[in-house]
Amino acid sequence: MFSVHEMKSVEEDFSRNLGSKHRFIAASKCKKLRRPPVWLMRQAGRCLPEYRLLKKRYSFLDLVRIPELAAAITIQPLHRFDFDAAIIFSDILVLAEAMGYMYRFAEGSGILMDKRLENLEQIKSLDVTLVNERLAYVSESIQLVNKYLKGEKALIGFAGSPWTLANFMLEGGSSSTFTRAWWLYQNEPLIYQRLIKKLVQATVSFLKLQIYSGVDVIQIFDSLAELIPADKYMDVSGKWINFILRQIPQTTSIVYVKGTRYLLSSLSSLESNVLGIDASIQLRDVAEKLRKDVAVQGNLDPRLLLSSPMAVEIATRRLIYSMQDRPGYIFNLGHGVPANAKIDCIDALVRTVMQFNDGDPDYS
């Protein structure tokens, strides 16, 4: 039998020698690690000069749809930063497009769709049977990325939650209010359920496509969760996410919930391995209210990436220290990387996580 000291030594050796992919999976299973794995939402694209060069030559939709370009963009941040995971370059609205609702980005207007859902007949006509065929380019992108990663980094696939997709499709794109989905839920609950069930079916197909193509992890973005009153969250969105998680093959799953501060009481009902937390609340407060077998991801304020490397380093250390005695932690932001984030701030963040030692001075 190992002594307590010997067991601690074995755990430290195990943690120290982990590769990026295995570190990520170990964290999702709430294993004790010397440092957390790190990746950032929207780490691919926007703020990277090499992405902007491509953006001058191709439209955003071309970058998403052409597998060689999407794979190249997925890999770009790994050339600069030693992330433990890559996330496939895509968009949550590719699923709406696969069901017949085309979208585009308009300067100053956000997302515009070529039409919006207006009535029951349109909901009935949503075609969920061709999702895998129409999104085959995502599968190709994943396979190309995996050839580069060679199993050394975790690869993350993703989809939007049915609630989030419903909002965009009912509004016909971006909105300052997003009222139509909530109105439908309140006033026409049977029609709302019919729409959500179609979106659930499409999401299950899309996530299975990504899993069978080679992703190691899937993340569901419930990016508009904060629009839902706390006492209605599980009925409006959470229970449908759980249904999706039960339908897909055994795969590490993350659910990112925007609006954590308001929805904290509901989060423990979600059945994912990992919960992604936004920057509206202290991460430790969330972790203490969850089961010990649920990992947490987050939640550095993205605005810090507009400040200075020193400010980022201090805040990063402080966040890791707050979680160091809670197994099951993945370092990330509370939202996506800002388009104007400073490269040296991202570098400081990643280096600080990578070099973290639990014997370092306390920055709390």
Side-chain angles (χ1 to χ4, degrees):
M1 294 288 289
F2 286 115
S3 68
V4 173
H5 175 76
E6 287 171 328
M7 282 298 294
K8 186 175 188 298
S9 177
V10 167
E11 286 180 359
E12 288 178 351
D13 288 342
F14 167 77
S15 173
R16 188 179 296 111
N17 295 324
L18 276 182
S20 287
K21 178 177 174 177
H22 291 99
R23 179 178 297 277
F24 196 101
I25 301 303
S28 74
K29 294 179 179 179
C30 295
K31 303 291 186 183
K32 176 69 174 175
L33 302 172
R34 289 179 65 85
R35 72 153 179 91
V38 57
W39 73 284
L40 304 180
M41 292 180 286
R42 287 184 180 159
Q43 67 187 27
R46 303 213 305 175
C47 74
L48 298 181
E50 50 270 41
Y51 170 80
R52 291 173 181 167
L53 288 174
L54 284 175
K55 192 70 171 59
K56 290 179 180 179
R57 298 176 55 195
Y58 302 94
S59 71
F60 175 82
L61 297 182
D62 285 338
L63 297 176
V64 167
R65 293 171 183 157
I66 300 172
E68 292 79 8
L69 292 176
I73 294 167
T74 300
I75 294 164
Q76 280 179 347
L78 302 186
H79 290 310
R80 282 185 175 268
F81 314 109
D82 195 13
F83 289 120
D84 291 298
I87 182 167
I88 198 70
F89 183 76
S90 187
D91 191 88
I92 64 170
L93 290 178
V94 298
L95 193 51
E97 185 177 68
M99 291 184 284
Y101 281 71
M102 306 288 288
Y103 73 101
R104 60 189 173 88
F105 288 87
E107 289 296 329
S109 302
I111 297 165
L112 292 177
M113 308 189 82
D114 65 346
K115 56 187 174 182
R116 72 179 187 181
L117 278 173
E118 299 273 8
N119 52 56
L120 179 58
E121 289 307 310
Q122 287 178 307
I123 292 173
K124 288 179 179 178
S125 68
L126 285 174
D127 187 357
V128 300
T129 64
L130 298 177
V131 165
N132 286 3
E133 180 181 329
R134 292 174 174 171
L135 296 179
Y137 59 83
V138 178
S139 175
E140 293 179 47
S141 301
I142 290 167
Q143 293 173 61
L144 288 172
V145 172
N146 268 328
K147 287 181 181 178
Y148 173 83
L149 297 181
K150 298 178 180 178
E152 295 176 2
K153 308 278 187 179
L155 180 57
I156 303 167
F158 68 90
S161 71
W163 161 255
T164 295
L165 278 178
N167 271 275
F168 279 104
M169 294 171 74
L170 288 163
E171 298 287 347
S174 299
S175 170
S176 59
T177 54
F178 285 109
T179 58
R180 288 168 57 82
W182 178 247
W183 184 94
L184 192 65
Y185 169 80
Q186 284 188 303
N187 296 281
E188 298 285 356
L190 295 180
I191 296 177
Y192 176 79
Q193 282 199 26
R194 187 155 193 164
L195 170 59
I196 291 297
K197 286 178 179 178
K198 284 233 177 180
L199 295 176
V200 164
Q201 185 180 349
T203 304
V204 169
S205 294
F206 185 36
L207 290 176
K208 282 183 176 179
L209 172 71
Q210 295 180 71
I211 292 166
Y212 294 142
S213 299
V215 301
D216 306 294
V217 181
I218 58 97
Q219 175 159 310
I220 297 176
F221 285 89
D222 207 3
S223 305
L224 297 178
E226 61 190 337
L227 300 175
I228 307 170
D231 63 337
K232 297 291 185 183
Y233 175 73
M234 287 307 297
D235 191 55
V236 175
S237 182
K239 73 178 183 182
W240 303 108
I241 292 174
N242 283 345
F243 184 85
I244 291 167
L245 294 173
R246 295 181 200 130
Q247 298 303 307
I248 61 175
Q250 191 70 32
T251 305
T252 299
S253 59
I254 306 169
V255 175
Y256 169 75
V257 180
K258 184 76 162 59
T260 308
R261 180 174 57 182
Y262 310 106
L263 304 171
L264 185 55
S265 61
S266 300
L267 294 184
S268 59
S269 298
L270 293 173
E271 298 174 11
S272 60
N273 304 113
V274 185
L275 284 171
I277 308 302
D278 69 17
S280 67
I281 192 169
Q282 293 291 322
L283 194 60
R284 185 72 198 188
D285 292 343
V286 179
E288 288 176 352
K289 290 179 171 60
L290 297 176
R291 301 190 317 271
K292 297 304 181 185
D293 62 343
V294 176
V296 290
Q297 175 180 279
N299 71 337
L300 192 73
D301 190 333
R303 293 173 296 184
L304 278 163
L305 298 182
L306 311 178
S307 61
S308 69
M310 179 58 73
V312 170
E313 179 181 343
I314 291 171
T316 297
R317 287 185 183 277
R318 183 180 293 125
L319 183 54
I320 299 175
Y321 271 113
S322 76
M323 296 295 294
Q324 67 176 342
D325 62 346
R326 208 285 191 179
Y329 175 44
I330 297 169
F331 196 97
N332 208 309
L333 302 176
H335 202 258
V337 175
N340 54 344
K342 297 177 181 178
I343 299 297
D344 57 352
C345 285
I346 299 174
D347 185 59
L349 183 157
V350 178
R351 280 189 294 100
T352 302
V353 177
M354 289 291 174
Q355 296 170 5
F356 180 80
N357 186 303
D358 55 17
D360 286 348
D362 192 345
Y363 281 75
S364 58

